[in-house]
Structures are given as C-alpha cells and as structure tokens.
Amino acid sequence: MAYLVFARKYRPQTFEEVVEQAHVTRTLASALTSGRLAHAILFAGPRGTGKTTIARILAKCVNCAEGPTATPCNLCRSCNEITGGNAIDVIEIDGASNNRVENVRELRENAKYMPAHSPRKIYIIDEVHMLSDAAFNALLKILEEPPAHVLFLFATTEVHKIPITILSRIQRHDLRRVGIDAIAGHMKTICRGEGIEIGDKGLAMIAREADGSIRDGLSLLDQIVTCSDKTVADDTIIDILGVIDRDVLFDVSAAVFSGNLAAVLDICELLYRQGRHLVKFYTELIGHFRNLLVVKSRGVEAELPDITSHEIRNMAGQLEHVTQPYLYQLVTILFEEEWRIRQSVSPKTALEMTFFRMMQVKPAFSFDELIEKLESLRTGIPEGGNTTGENKADYQTLRSRPEALSKNTADAPPLVPAETPDTQAAPDTQAAPDARDTLNARDAMEQSRKSQPDPAPDATGNARAQGRPDSPGDAHQSDGPDNPAGDAARIDQMSTDEILKRLREWICSKSPALKACISECSFHFEPPDRVSFAIDADNPRANLLKSKKNLSALEKHCKDFFSRQVSVAIEVKEKKPAAGSPKNRRRLEHEGRTHPFVEATLKTFNAKIYDIKVS
Ligand SMILES: [Zn+2]
C-alpha cells in the first residue's frame, strides 16, 4: 500500500476527532439531531483548520445508513465511499479550477437528478471564493430554492471575496486558528501511535511553525520524521526547520533584565555563526517581548495561542521583578529599531546596537512610586526612614538615568536635586520648598542628636514650637516619659482631643514619610478602638494615603500607640461643590498654582502648567 502522509492517514472521521473546532461541530451535531440542518453551509477559516474535513464528516452524517446522525457509523457503504473519496452522491468540486459559469450551469443541470443510492446529493465546493461573478450569479437561483435532495457545502479561506447575495443565502460557520498546545497535543498522539519519540519542546517548535494550521503541522512532522530516525532530537528539528530555539529568546530576555550585555552579544555571535536568519530572529524577539508584556499585565491566565502554557509560566517567573513601564520601554525600542535592522547591510551590527540601547534603559517607576519618592524627598528621608542600599540605588538611578522615566532623554532634567538626601546639602541647592524642608529636616536631626543625652520632657512640643518638622531622630526621643504611647491606662484617662493630638505626634515621629500625608488629614477617634483619617478626594495625597503600604503602616503605629489592636479607616471625602464666582475661581487657581507640592513638582520635572480645572 502506498505511503499515506500523516495529514491524510489521521484525517478525522467523526466530529469528536476534529481538533479545536468544537463551536462548529457542536452546532452541526445539534442541527442534525433536531432536523434543522440548512440546505447550504459555508465553512470559512484559515488554511488547514478542518473546513473540508468537517464538510466530509457532515456529508457522512447526512448520508449514513443510520442517518441523519451526528455520529456516522463509518461502516456502511455511503460512509466508506466518502472516506475513500469515491462517493457517487458526494461531489467534490475545486472552485479554483471550475470557476466558470459553464461549470455552474452543468452543476445546476445535474443537481436536478436524484442521488444514486444515498438520501441526499451533496456538493462540496472548495475555495468557493474563486468562482467568477457570472458563476456566482448562476448559483444564486439554485441556492435560494434548491431541490430537497441537494445539500451544498462550501469552504473558503477568503470569505470577503464572496458576494453578499450568496452569503445571505447560506449558513456560515467560522473556523478558528488552532492553538499551539492543541497542534502539539495532536501530533503527540500521532507520534505515540507511530512509535516516534519527540520531546515536548520539539513538538512545540513544529506547532509554532504550523502557524495555526493542523495540516501544515502534520506536513512538517512528516518531513522531520522522514529525515531522521524514530527518535528525533530538538537540534534536528531546529536544523530542518531553520527555526530559532525558543530557549535563546528566553536567554536574551533574562540577560536584558539582568543588564548582562556580554551574554546578549555572545548570543548574537552564536546565531551569526550558526547562520541563523537574524531578521527572522528579530521578528521572533519582538513577539517574545510583546508576549512578556501581555503576561506581565494579565498574569499566567493570559491567552496567548502562539505560545505554550509552559512557556507562559516561565515568562511569569522571569518577570517577577520586572515592572510593566520598563517592559513597555523595551518593546518600544524593539519596534523603533525594526526598520533599521531590516534595512541594514549588517543586521548583526544593527542588532547589537539595539541591545546596547535596550541596556541603557533602567527600570522605570510607576506614577504612584514617583509620588512616593517625591514625598520622601520633601521630608528628606527615604520611605519609612529606610536608608538601605536599595533605596540609594533607586535615587542614583533617578539621577543618572532620567530617560528611565522619559523618552525625551535629551531634554529631560535630572529628576531630583543634585544631592541625595543622605549627603550634605550644597548651598546652591534649588530653593524649592522641598529643598528647604530637606535642610530643616537636617537641622532637626542635628537638634535631636544634641538633645539626646538630656531628654527634655516636652522635647516634641519644643520642636513643634520652633516650627521645625520632626526628623527620624525624634522617633527615639518620642518614646520618652512624656509620651503616653503604649500606656493604655494613661491614654484611657485622656480626652479625645488630647489622644488625637498625641497620636498625630506619635505617627509623625515614627514615620516622617507619612507626616506629609497625615498633616492634611483630620483625625477621628471612636472609643474604644476605631481611628479614622479623613482626607479630601481632590487632595493629591489621597491616593497615596490609601495605598496598602501606608494603611498598614498607620495600623501598626496606632496599634503601638494604643498597645492594642485598633481598627483604622481612611475616609476620602467627596469633592466640594463647584467654586461659584469667577473671583473665587481665580483664588482657587492661584492656590493650586502656588501649592508647595505643585511648585516642587514643576521644579523637579522642569514642567509647565497648561491648564487648571476648578471643579
Ligand atoms: Zn455510515
């Protein structure tokens, strides 16, 4: 017996065997069992997704000796004839080569005669979009009122080329591209049956090359099996198909994320020596980073038909410490450089230059993180008083890599003043309020250090009287005998106003980073154990205060203060009604323009105010 290629040998013979087109097969099965099958059906979809296969199975369902049924027996004369491709009553016509009006006229004449031995005469017209306009017009009449014994089944890859007059007379079913997992799974089943050993990675490579087509996948599998033994190594598949090893893409992204330029250049060199097509590699690289971006934004549940679920999990692992804005910047660079690589006489050099550029980008901050940094800047102390190396590194990044936040690198000013908060301030520091606060904070720290050996009972009060912000050094002094924090009995004897006053001092001393936020809040205490912080919705710090991190910090400070578990709530008060008169409006605009936070932001980002909306 002549050798049958896998695509023919393993052609599905029932609806259950069709891969990944359940939305179509289920509808057809239901129509068959309920006796509501249309007289003309069109299957549209990409190549190799099962259009003709489904049409043949449907023909069996209709003409089976046990039919019409959704599960043809595959044993009767009619079923066997259709499987063998020699059924008298199932006429397959290639629309590409029988596209003239004469062919359709002939079809119309023959359709009048009854089927030879089957219940219905079935015409399967493949590539029906190739018919000429006259041929389509000739089809119109018979499509509208076909003889009861005739069933038309059409298949096309280009449904938009079919006239609307035809489409309105037929029932249309759209087939989908087949996902990589489904193609690989189908090939795995076939390999098992044939006694061929191919690893999952190899099958995934073949499936990816199939580009959503089961038939293409099986043809490639045939080719690979013909060229090798029963055991097929991944390297053999890479060589035969000329594809890029997916591991290489993961190696590149890992090296870029870790800033390892040498590793990336080594990979470029290796691909070049192996004679890989670098432009094709670049195309896959763009797709890979695009997929990383999708996985970053949607998690492991992301639906990516072009990659396997195993790869999605690997991507999620690689992205654990990578921010979305940073990833977006990398994808943008890849797109911007694409034309250069395609047009360059030396794609390898252009590729290396692209990697150089990608390495220049440093992880960017989200807007919320930026606001947080600015707040820290105002107090002169990194978040939570933390001066660990990590935070310092962030500041250094901000200083040295303003492009991490703005693509306009040429014009972008440094994002923070020239000195870091933990170095000595230069006298010519920008005279922004944040800078003045920084200096005041340092004064306070000096003061605290001096007063440490002789703690005054009202040290905190003195600091306040002098108009200086509390410094992190105060955190330790605040635990002095005057502070009731932790002394539940003493707190219970105090008035509500006194408790709130002490609580405010306590939080300010414990967390300078929170000080700016809570300074604009009103406190409320509902004995015995509920504290709420109210802030206006239009206050720029409202979102910052609501952040999970700050809420848990407030809970901790309140718990320490009351020495018991306290319920903490952040209440965001809705915006006030619109500012009536123009005069009032101007006043509010002026207040907004001269607000210290706005001024600090303008100075830090070298920004301009384009519009102010008063609501
Ligand atoms: Zn049958």
Side-chain angles (χ1 to χ4, degrees):
M1 187 180 169
Y3 176 70
L4 269 184
V5 294
F6 290 152
R8 287 183 63 195
K9 187 173 177 182
Y10 292 97
R11 186 189 283 275
Q13 301 300 334
T14 61
F15 283 144
E16 285 78 31
E17 290 174 20
V18 177
V19 181
E20 279 237 317
Q21 306 296 352
H23 63 292
V24 174
T25 54
R26 213 181 301 125
T27 310
L28 292 175
S30 171
L32 282 163
T33 48
S34 61
R36 303 172 72 89
L37 193 68
H39 60 261
I41 296 174
L42 169 71
F43 299 105
R47 68 182 196 290
T49 48
K51 299 182 293 296
T52 317
T53 300
I54 292 178
R56 285 182 189 161
I57 296 172
L58 182 58
K60 276 188 199 174
C61 293
V62 172
N63 279 355
C64 180
E66 297 177 7
T69 169
T71 49
C73 68
N74 277 315
L75 296 170
C76 69
R77 177 183 171 186
S78 185
C79 285
N80 280 328
E81 281 182 357
I82 293 171
T83 306
N86 52 13
I88 301 169
D89 297 321
V90 177
I91 304 109
E92 288 198 34
I93 301 168
D94 174 23
S97 52
N98 298 282
N99 59 350
R100 292 176 304 143
V101 66
E102 291 78 13
N103 301 121
V104 177
R105 284 188 188 135
E106 190 184 333
L107 180 152
R108 281 197 322 201
E109 283 304 309
N110 290 334
K112 290 176 187 168
Y113 302 106
M114 293 299 286
H117 61 82
S118 313
R120 297 185 73 173
K121 200 168 198 171
I122 300 171
Y123 289 91
I124 299 177
I125 306 182
D126 208 358
E127 302 299 344
V128 69
H129 63 272
M130 298 293 279
L131 295 188
S132 66
D133 287 347
F136 272 126
N137 287 335
L139 257 186
L140 276 179
K141 180 69 182 163
I142 194 166
L143 271 186
E144 197 160 54
E145 292 173 358
H149 61 270
V150 171
L151 173 65
F152 285 105
L153 302 177
F154 303 129
T156 181
T157 49
E158 298 181 59
V159 72
H160 57 278
K161 290 186 179 173
I162 300 176
I164 190 72
T165 44
I166 297 284
L167 288 177
S168 67
R169 287 166 169 81
I170 56 184
Q171 190 179 81
R172 172 176 163 181
H173 294 272
D174 288 291
L175 277 71
R176 297 172 185 157
R177 275 166 55 90
V178 185
I180 284 188
D181 279 340
I183 298 178
H186 187 56
M187 289 194 295
K188 195 172 186 175
T189 312
I190 291 175
C191 288
R192 206 177 290 135
E194 294 283 330
I196 301 163
E197 279 186 35
I198 302 184
D200 288 345
K201 187 183 157 193
L203 289 171
M205 275 192 279
I206 302 170
R208 190 168 294 101
E209 279 300 291
D211 195 22
S213 163
I214 284 271
R215 186 176 58 224
D216 286 14
L218 294 184
S219 300
L220 290 172
L221 182 65
D222 241 322
Q223 182 189 345
I224 288 161
V225 171
T226 311
C227 299
S228 51
D229 301 327
K230 287 283 184 186
T231 305
V232 185
D234 294 343
D235 290 344
T236 311
I237 297 171
I238 291 172
D239 286 340
I240 293 174
L241 298 181
V243 295
I244 304 292
D245 187 353
R246 297 284 298 170
D247 287 350
V248 172
L249 299 174
F250 278 89
D251 289 345
V252 170
S253 51
V256 169
F257 295 151
S258 62
N260 190 347
L261 182 62
V264 178
L265 295 182
D266 284 348
I267 293 171
C268 284
E269 189 64 35
L270 185 68
L271 291 172
Y272 183 67
R273 282 191 193 163
Q274 288 175 342
R276 301 286 176 225
H277 198 287
L278 290 182
V279 175
K280 188 177 178 189
F281 164 71
Y282 193 75
T283 306
E284 293 207 16
L285 194 65
I286 292 178
H288 177 65
F289 272 87
R290 175 262 174 195
N291 289 338
L292 284 167
L293 189 57
V294 174
V295 171
K296 183 67 192 173
S297 54
R298 302 190 60 185
V300 289
E301 292 82 24
E303 281 189 21
L304 293 165
D306 290 338
I307 58 174
T308 60
S309 47
H310 174 68
E311 282 185 336
I312 292 178
R313 284 194 298 277
N314 283 353
M315 284 181 171
Q318 211 171 58
L319 291 169
E320 208 167 319
H321 302 294
V322 179
T323 64
Q324 194 171 330
Y326 171 56
L327 203 49
Y328 177 76
Q329 283 178 297
L330 295 180
V331 176
T332 306
I333 291 176
L334 283 168
F335 271 115
E336 286 172 356
E337 297 293 329
E338 188 181 8
W339 67 272
R340 215 187 294 269
I341 288 174
R342 288 190 185 281
Q343 295 187 353
S344 173
V345 289
S346 173
K348 177 171 173 274
T349 311
L351 186 62
E352 287 169 346
M353 289 305 105
T354 303
F355 285 129
F356 272 116
R357 197 179 154 196
M358 289 170 79
M359 290 295 178
Q360 297 298 313
V361 179
K362 295 295 173 192
F365 296 101
S366 68
F367 190 70
D368 285 345
E369 283 173 311
L370 265 182
I371 296 283
E372 223 167 311
K373 298 284 173 199
L374 276 175
E375 291 293 349
S376 305
L377 207 60
R378 281 172 57 77
T379 56
I381 298 149
E383 298 88 340
N386 183 358
T387 53
T388 60
E390 191 187 344
N391 272 338
K392 285 182 191 167
D394 288 350
Y395 276 87
Q396 292 295 345
T397 303
L398 275 167
R399 285 182 57 199
S400 60
R401 302 286 177 212
E403 69 273 16
L405 297 151
S406 163
K407 275 171 60 188
N408 191 7
T409 55
D411 302 327
L415 290 167
V416 294
E419 67 284 339
T420 49
D422 52 351
T423 57
Q424 287 301 313
D428 60 344
T429 303
Q430 298 171 32
D434 56 345
R436 286 198 296 274
D437 284 357
T438 307
L439 291 170
N440 286 343
R442 286 197 193 98
D443 287 347
M445 288 169 79
E446 283 286 319
Q447 187 70 26
S448 304
R449 273 198 295 277
K450 283 176 189 167
S451 63
Q452 206 161 11
D454 182 23
D458 58 347
T460 313
N462 281 344
R464 222 174 31 257
Q466 291 164 23
R468 287 196 303 265
D470 292 346
S471 71
D474 291 343
H476 304 292
Q477 278 83 54
S478 303
D479 298 341
D482 186 51
N483 199 309
D487 188 346
R490 203 173 140 202
I491 290 173
D492 288 343
Q493 289 172 357
M494 294 167 116
S495 68
T496 304
D497 286 347
E498 183 69 14
I499 290 173
L500 290 176
K501 183 181 159 198
R502 295 293 186 170
L503 178 63
R504 188 185 288 269
E505 288 169 6
W506 171 255
I507 297 174
C508 287
S509 68
K510 283 292 174 191
S511 175
L514 274 174
K515 186 180 170 185
C517 281
I518 60 168
S519 66
E520 299 187 23
C521 285
S522 55
F523 285 33
H524 302 281
F525 175 54
E526 292 173 28
D529 55 5
R530 180 182 155 85
V531 179
S532 60
F533 300 84
I535 189 165
D536 289 337
D538 54 355
N539 191 310
R541 293 194 176 89
N543 279 336
L544 187 64
L545 187 67
K546 280 193 303 183
S547 72
K548 203 173 170 186
K549 181 181 163 191
N550 281 339
L551 182 60
S552 58
L554 284 173
E555 282 172 344
K556 180 184 178 303
H557 295 319
C558 290
K559 185 184 171 191
D560 290 346
F561 180 79
F562 289 98
S563 71
R564 61 176 182 263
Q565 196 66 43
V566 178
S567 153
V568 173
I570 308 287
E571 289 172 8
V572 180
K573 291 188 282 190
E574 282 309 310
K575 288 180 182 178
K576 292 167 187 168
S581 68
K583 190 179 171 188
N584 194 24
R585 203 177 194 79
R586 277 198 298 280
R587 183 181 61 76
L588 286 171
E589 280 184 5
H590 177 72
E591 276 181 16
R593 203 180 286 277
T594 55
H595 191 280
F597 184 79
V598 175
E599 284 186 341
T601 308
L602 291 177
K603 194 167 278 292
T604 305
F605 290 104
N606 195 18
K608 286 179 185 171
I609 296 176
Y610 285 98
D611 190 20
I612 297 178
K613 285 183 180 164
V614 179
S615 54

Short mmCIF file of all heavy atoms in Angstrom, two decimals, residues 64-65 73-76 79, ligand 1:
data_model
loop_
_atom_site.label_atom_id
_atom_site.label_comp_id
_atom_site.label_asym_id
_atom_site.label_seq_id
_atom_site.Cartn_x
_atom_site.Cartn_y
_atom_site.Cartn_z
N CYS A 64 -25.29 8.66 5.93
CA CYS A 64 -25.03 7.38 6.60
C CYS A 64 -26.31 6.54 6.61
O CYS A 64 -27.43 7.09 6.71
CB CYS A 64 -24.56 7.65 8.04
SG CYS A 64 -24.21 6.14 8.96
N ALA A 65 -26.13 5.25 6.54
CA ALA A 65 -27.28 4.34 6.55
C ALA A 65 -28.08 4.49 7.84
O ALA A 65 -29.28 4.23 7.88
CB ALA A 65 -26.78 2.90 6.38
N CYS A 73 -21.65 5.94 11.22
CA CYS A 73 -21.14 4.62 11.61
C CYS A 73 -19.75 4.33 11.05
O CYS A 73 -18.99 3.54 11.61
CB CYS A 73 -22.12 3.54 11.15
SG CYS A 73 -22.17 3.38 9.35
N ASN A 74 -19.39 4.98 9.94
CA ASN A 74 -18.11 4.73 9.27
C ASN A 74 -17.97 3.28 8.81
O ASN A 74 -16.86 2.78 8.62
CB ASN A 74 -16.93 5.12 10.17
CG ASN A 74 -16.63 6.61 10.07
OD1 ASN A 74 -16.59 7.16 8.98
ND2 ASN A 74 -16.46 7.26 11.21
N LEU A 75 -19.07 2.58 8.69
CA LEU A 75 -19.05 1.17 8.26
C LEU A 75 -19.90 0.94 7.02
O LEU A 75 -19.61 0.07 6.20
CB LEU A 75 -19.57 0.26 9.40
CG LEU A 75 -18.73 0.25 10.68
CD1 LEU A 75 -19.48 -0.49 11.79
CD2 LEU A 75 -17.38 -0.42 10.42
N CYS A 76 -20.96 1.72 6.87
CA CYS A 76 -21.89 1.49 5.78
C CYS A 76 -21.26 1.87 4.43
O CYS A 76 -20.19 2.46 4.38
CB CYS A 76 -23.18 2.27 6.02
SG CYS A 76 -22.97 4.04 5.89
N CYS A 79 -20.66 5.72 4.03
CA CYS A 79 -19.54 6.22 4.85
C CYS A 79 -18.22 5.79 4.22
O CYS A 79 -17.29 6.59 4.11
CB CYS A 79 -19.64 5.68 6.27
SG CYS A 79 -20.91 6.48 7.26
ZN ZN B 1 -22.50 5.03 7.89
#
